[in-house]
Amino acid sequence: RDDQPIVTNNGDIPAQLNIEWETNKITNGALENVTQGQKIKYNGTLENNLKINTNIGQKSVTSESMRFDFLDTGSTCEVCTYAKDIETTLVIATDGTGFVTTDGQNWTSTTVATNVSMYSAVYANNLHRFVACGRSFGSGSAKIRWSEDGINWNDCDGEITAQYYQTVTYSEDKQLFVTVGAGGVIATSSDGKTWTNRTSGVSTGIFGVCYSEMDSLFVAVGASNVVLTSANGTTWTSRDSGVTGTLRRVCHSARLGL
């Protein structure tokens, strides 16, 4: 990520300054006439003790640091999602064990599901609810579970018979969860607890699904060039992907408009 230099807060000057442009390298130089209340953004290397001449005097800059802590899960972790409103991160290992943290350093382990590989998870901020999906080890059947806090997990009602669910997404605009998986299965839920099967029009595996707020559209992709779109999660339309092969994932960037 781009670092964000922090200006030493000596008196009236705010802790952060901001300007509208970026530089590739700032090192022991001077930025003239930086307006109070702004924050510097840059792309490159920053050395400490950069001097900034502001309209209320010269201030020094130090760079932020990013800390990484090691979490020994004992198993491969493939799923990670974040609950913004409760500032909680959920990580799920392939054996169904979950790990929850609010600070990235102290973790609480829990059982998301027993004998289940969880492939995907999402959090709905307006519902204050995690939803995770995957596949049972022995039976080879799909599984969906939900939780309010990431610690205590519950089974869902009306689950669809399938080998697995590969991905789950949520649209706050539509207030709808959508999950996709083996054999062209698509299922939706308004609360993450009770699920309804939808007709996808394809029989091949669907591996990825996302929601575009900009286009108010769900998009799903899968094997055999499959691309599907839906404005409501209920009715799905096949699209020409223009590629040959299997499409594994799809995502949307509001910032890039893609």
Side-chain angles (χ1 to χ4, degrees), residues 6 27 60 80 110 112 133 140 145 149 169 171 189 199 214 246:
I6 303 303
T27 177
S60 62
C80 181
T110 186
V112 176
C133 67
R145 304 206 82 199
D149 56 10
T169 193
S171 163
S189 173
T199 301
M214 182 178 69
T246 295

Side-chain angles (χ1 to χ4, degrees), residues 148-163:
E148 304 284 356
D149 56 10
I151 302 293
N152 302 291
W153 289 83
N154 308 276
D155 282 327
C156 295
D157 299 321
E159 291 188 56
I160 310 306
T161 301
Q163 285 185 316

Side-chain angles (χ1 to χ4, degrees), residues 4 14 72 94 99 135 138 153-154 183 198 216 225 233 238 245 252 254:
Q4 297 174 349
D72 186 4
T94 52
F99 302 89
R135 175 180 183 173
W153 289 83
N154 308 276
R198 304 300 181 184
S216 297
N225 321 323
S238 178
H252 170 69

Side-chain angles (χ1 to χ4, degrees), residues 28-196:
N28 295 329
L31 302 179
E32 303 291 337
N33 301 320
V34 178
T35 305
Q36 185 173 309
Q38 293 184 320
K39 184 170 69 176
I40 298 167
K41 183 180 179 182
Y42 73 98
N43 180 19
T45 302
L46 175 75
E47 294 185 7
N48 290 341
N49 302 317
L50 166 69
K51 301 299 181 182
I52 297 181
N53 295 319
T54 74
N55 56 342
I56 59 172
Q58 189 179 79
K59 301 300 176 183
S60 62
V61 173
T62 58
S63 58
E64 279 187 311
S65 62
M66 180 178 288
R67 170 175 174 166
F68 291 90
D69 292 282
F70 178 71
L71 171 65
D72 186 4
T73 64
S75 183
T76 302
C77 294
E78 295 185 350
V79 178
C80 181
T81 191
Y82 179 69
K84 183 178 181 180
D85 64 334
I86 58 176
E87 298 182 343
T88 297
T89 298
L90 168 68
V91 174
I92 307 177
T94 52
D95 62 0
T97 303
F99 302 89
V100 176
T101 183
T102 57
D103 60 12
Q105 301 177 43
N106 302 293
W107 295 79
T108 300
S109 63
T110 186
T111 300
V112 176
T114 302
N115 296 324
V116 174
S117 288
M118 304 308 278
Y119 297 146
S120 179
V122 70
Y123 183 79
N125 283 290
N126 62 318
L127 297 178
H128 313 295
R129 189 165 300 145
F130 290 98
V131 171
C133 67
R135 175 180 183 173
S136 299
F137 291 156
S139 62
S141 59
K143 194 71 175 177
I144 303 177
R145 304 206 82 199
W146 64 272
S147 172
E148 304 284 356
D149 56 10
I151 302 293
N152 302 291
W153 289 83
N154 308 276
D155 282 327
C156 295
D157 299 321
E159 291 188 56
I160 310 306
T161 301
Q163 285 185 316
Y164 59 82
Y165 295 115
Q166 187 71 43
T167 307
V168 61
T169 193
Y170 180 72
S171 163
E172 193 165 327
D173 289 348
K174 307 292 184 182
Q175 297 188 28
L176 191 71
F177 292 93
V178 175
T179 186
V180 299
V185 65
I186 296 179
T188 63
S189 173
S190 61
D191 60 8
K193 299 178 181 180
T194 302
W195 292 80
T196 302

